[in-house]
């Protein structure tokens, strides 16, 4: 089963995606986690992505789609995937459809998480204090919300 979790930053996609993965045994794919690992590892992809992430901007589609393509081609994804926060644009959604179709698969379910802005900011501030993520800085978070509303929400 291939599931997509959508919603604004800080709405709980990661938390719920992890719980769903534990209960179902389906591989959870968080592009945010994949990108943070690439940044921490100092890979070329990570260096390229860091510039965008630190500003709260979306990482270019070709980087994200390439990462997802690698995961979908792996044996770990044979039973499906839970896509946590991906796709984020119409072009990425179309790319997901193409990547899955190339493997004779499709998106089976989409779950949307609606959370008020005030609650999102409260959650992000708490997460920033615990995890210290640069993209959870209040200014970067506000930019992420603007980007979300322009590019993902539609």
């Amino acid at each position: 089963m291939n599931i997509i979790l959508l919603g604004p930053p800080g709405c709980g996609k990661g938390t719920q995606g992890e719980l769903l993965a534990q209960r179902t045994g389906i591989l959870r794919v968080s592009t945010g986690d994949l990108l943070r690992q690439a940044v921490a590892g100092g890979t070329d992809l990570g260096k390229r992505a860091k510039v965008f992430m630190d500003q709260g901007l979306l990482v270019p589609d070709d980087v994200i789609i390439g990462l997802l393509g690698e995961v979908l081609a792996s044996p770990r994804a044979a039973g499906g995937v839970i896509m946590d926060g991906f796709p984020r644009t119409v072009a990425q959604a179309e790319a997901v459809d193409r990547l899955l179709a190339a493997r004779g698969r499709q998106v089976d379910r989409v779950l949307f998480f609606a959370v008020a802005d005030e609650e999102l900011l409260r959650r992000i501030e708490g997460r920033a204090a615990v995890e210290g993520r640069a993209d959870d800085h209040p200014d970067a978070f506000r930019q992420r919300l603007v980007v979300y509303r322009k590019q993902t929400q539609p």
Side-chain angles (χ1 to χ4, degrees):
M1 178 170 282
N2 297 293
I3 302 168
I4 295 176
L5 307 180
L6 293 178
C11 71
K13 296 179 300 288
T15 300
Q16 296 305 314
E18 197 158 308
L19 291 170
L20 187 58
Q22 288 172 5
R23 286 190 156 193
T24 63
I26 298 172
L27 175 66
R28 176 179 160 262
V29 177
S30 165
T31 53
D33 288 348
L34 293 174
L35 287 167
R36 283 187 287 278
Q37 290 168 3
V39 168
T43 66
D44 289 340
L45 172 64
K47 291 174 187 172
R48 185 172 170 210
K50 184 176 180 1
V51 173
F52 295 92
M53 292 167 64
D54 285 350
Q55 297 175 59
L57 300 173
L58 293 179
V59 175
D61 285 353
D62 64 314
V63 174
I64 300 298
I65 293 164
L67 279 173
L68 182 62
E70 289 177 1
V71 170
L72 290 175
S74 74
R76 300 177 310 149
V81 294
I82 299 167
M83 292 176 243
D84 172 355
F86 185 85
R88 294 186 184 208
T89 65
V90 172
Q92 288 179 358
E94 292 167 349
V96 166
D97 285 341
R98 284 191 304 273
L99 286 170
L100 289 171
R103 290 164 178 75
R105 296 162 50 188
Q106 65 183 13
V107 173
D108 297 297
R109 298 283 185 269
V110 177
L111 304 174
F112 176 75
F113 299 85
V115 179
D117 286 0
E118 302 79 38
E119 177 64 15
L120 294 172
L121 185 56
R122 187 186 67 74
R123 290 178 182 191
I124 290 296
E125 288 172 343
R127 186 169 76 182
V130 172
E131 296 179 21
R133 286 176 36 181
D135 60 337
D136 281 345
H137 182 276
D139 292 336
F141 173 73
R142 285 183 186 86
Q143 177 61 31
R144 287 170 63 201
L145 273 179
V146 168
V147 171
Y148 168 80
R149 291 205 169 87
K150 279 175 102 173
Q151 297 182 12
T152 305
Q153 195 168 9

